[in-house]
Amino acid sequence: MQDKTAETTTPILSVLAERFSPYAFDPEKAVPEGDLEALFEAARWTMSSYNAQPWRYLVGVRGKDDRWEKIHACLVEGNQPWTANAPVLVLGFVRDNFDFNGQPNIAAEHDLGAASAMLTVEATARGLAVHQMIGVDLDKVVAAFDLPEGTRPLTALAIGYHGSADVVPEAYAERDAKPRERLSAADILL
């Protein structure tokens, strides 16, 4: 496994520079329960508009119950080959309306993204990797799970330890091997 630490133009926290979203997960290495709990504790303490905390997660741990298989079946075809090795699969949901007044929460998707980012930072600090994805068949999620009213599926996350390239089809291994690239700060600042 090559070092995927970002070559930043300005020093940043190492946990941010080291964050990488692999396609190859180690299929033999389970995520310790305490680490998994810490990831969702990090998500829990994420900032949110009006402190609404509109994010919800459904977690599937391989071999624990049928949730992992049900989540995997809800991923789009292009995500299923590489997620097959992830020991943990998670669905991310938003609550579209504020609980305190029933009005639309236009920050709900943003806040789910922020919570998933904090979860990812905590995972990286613990030596874990998270690959966030939008490739989810949302209708399948609604059909597969008994969701609370007002809770809408949106994203998925694969969580585990970065694995070797030989555990995924070649096309995904090639993606993992590519250099990490980002727009410059000048390109993202208006």
Side-chain angles (χ1 to χ4, degrees):
M1 242 174 309
Q2 71 186 90
D3 180 14
K4 298 299 284 192
T5 302
E7 294 182 22
T8 63
T9 55
T10 301
I12 60 175
L13 294 172
S14 61
V15 71
L16 298 175
E18 293 166 6
R19 186 218 53 83
F20 171 63
S21 301
Y23 290 95
F25 284 90
D26 185 337
E28 303 299 320
K29 199 167 180 185
V31 176
E33 191 172 320
D35 285 345
L36 196 54
E37 289 172 1
L39 303 188
F40 292 99
E41 186 68 10
R44 176 179 171 232
W45 287 100
T46 300
M47 66 299 269
S48 86
S49 178
Y50 289 95
N51 197 28
Q53 304 162 55
W55 53 84
R56 299 293 184 272
Y57 294 102
L58 194 150
V59 181
V61 177
R62 183 194 313 281
K64 186 173 180 181
D65 55 34
D66 69 343
R67 281 193 212 163
W68 187 98
E69 289 82 8
K70 287 171 72 174
I71 293 170
H72 193 255
C74 293
L75 301 179
V76 298
E77 187 177 320
N79 284 333
Q80 289 182 349
W82 64 269
T83 55
N85 292 321
V88 179
L89 293 175
V90 177
L91 292 172
F93 301 82
V94 291
R95 295 193 43 79
D96 285 316
N97 295 316
F98 288 111
D99 289 335
F100 74 93
N101 66 6
Q103 294 300 306
N105 179 352
I106 62 171
E109 291 182 7
H110 170 275
D111 288 359
L112 170 63
S116 294
M118 293 297 133
L119 178 156
T120 300
V121 170
E122 183 68 31
T124 304
R126 292 171 178 271
L128 292 161
V130 177
H131 191 123
Q132 298 185 43
M133 62 196 111
I134 197 76
V136 181
D137 185 324
L138 305 178
D139 292 332
K140 283 185 179 179
V141 173
V142 171
F145 297 100
D146 184 23
L147 302 175
E149 184 156 343
T151 303
R152 177 171 56 94
L154 189 63
T155 61
L157 302 92
I159 302 172
Y161 293 92
H162 191 186
S164 61
D166 62 349
V167 300
V168 291
E170 187 176 343
Y172 299 99
E174 288 173 1
R175 291 181 194 178
D176 272 357
K178 286 183 180 178
R180 292 181 64 198
E181 298 177 337
R182 289 291 189 267
L183 296 173
S184 71
D187 289 331
I188 64 169
L189 296 172
L190 301 179

